[in-house]
Amino acid sequence: MAKTILVVEDNEQNRTLVKDVLEFHGFLVIGAANGADGVARAREFLPDLILLDIQMPVMNGFAALQALRDDPASRRIAVVALTSFAMKGDREKIMAAGFQGYIAKPIDTRELPKMVAGFMEKAAG
């Protein structure tokens, strides 16, 4: 059975790129355009992994992560930051907030499926 990934990204081109690459590699991908929609879709579909942008309208990635962790239904879903934040200390801030990992943008389409598979293995273990 295909693993389900929720991609929460406000940039439609980035969301489509990630979806296309991951679907090509056998994943089932659900998209959401902002943090609030992402939280709702996570509760509805209970994906195996969430790729969550940090800077988004309506609800940013930090607030969305907190909402997911506050809900018993979504509390245990692995959440990986998908972000262009690359300043010194950003990675540490993201990991300290409770994300299970970090994928920097621009996305390396060759590495993305391997990274996602690695995050899923780590979450399952």
Side-chain angles (χ1 to χ4, degrees):
M1 189 164 127
K3 295 288 187 179
T4 304
I5 300 170
L6 172 59
V7 178
V8 186
E9 163 67 68
D10 63 315
N11 181 299
E12 188 175 353
Q13 287 180 307
N14 285 346
R15 194 171 58 247
T16 300
L17 174 67
V18 171
K19 184 178 190 308
D20 290 349
V21 168
L22 294 177
E23 284 179 344
F24 180 80
H25 287 274
F27 295 102
L28 176 63
V29 182
I30 301 160
N34 62 62
D37 188 32
V39 170
R41 286 180 164 264
R43 290 174 177 154
E44 179 182 356
F45 294 101
L46 298 175
D48 298 290
L49 180 74
I50 300 172
L51 300 181
L52 183 59
D53 188 16
I54 298 295
Q55 280 189 295
M56 292 181 291
V58 183
M59 178 187 278
N60 72 30
F62 291 110
L65 177 67
Q66 189 59 55
L68 291 166
R69 294 298 176 246
D70 287 345
D71 184 339
S74 59
R75 181 173 292 146
R76 288 184 171 72
I77 300 171
V79 183
V80 174
L82 185 64
T83 184
S84 56
F85 283 175
M87 301 300 289
K88 186 169 174 55
D90 285 339
R91 180 180 174 82
E92 291 77 12
K93 179 181 174 188
I94 286 166
M95 298 304 288
F99 287 89
Q100 276 73 38
Y102 176 99
I103 297 174
K105 292 191 258 182
I107 296 158
D108 181 338
T109 56
R110 290 179 306 269
E111 291 297 316
L112 181 64
K114 291 181 243 175
M115 293 174 79
V116 165
F119 288 126
M120 287 192 161
E121 278 180 33
K122 188 174 170 188

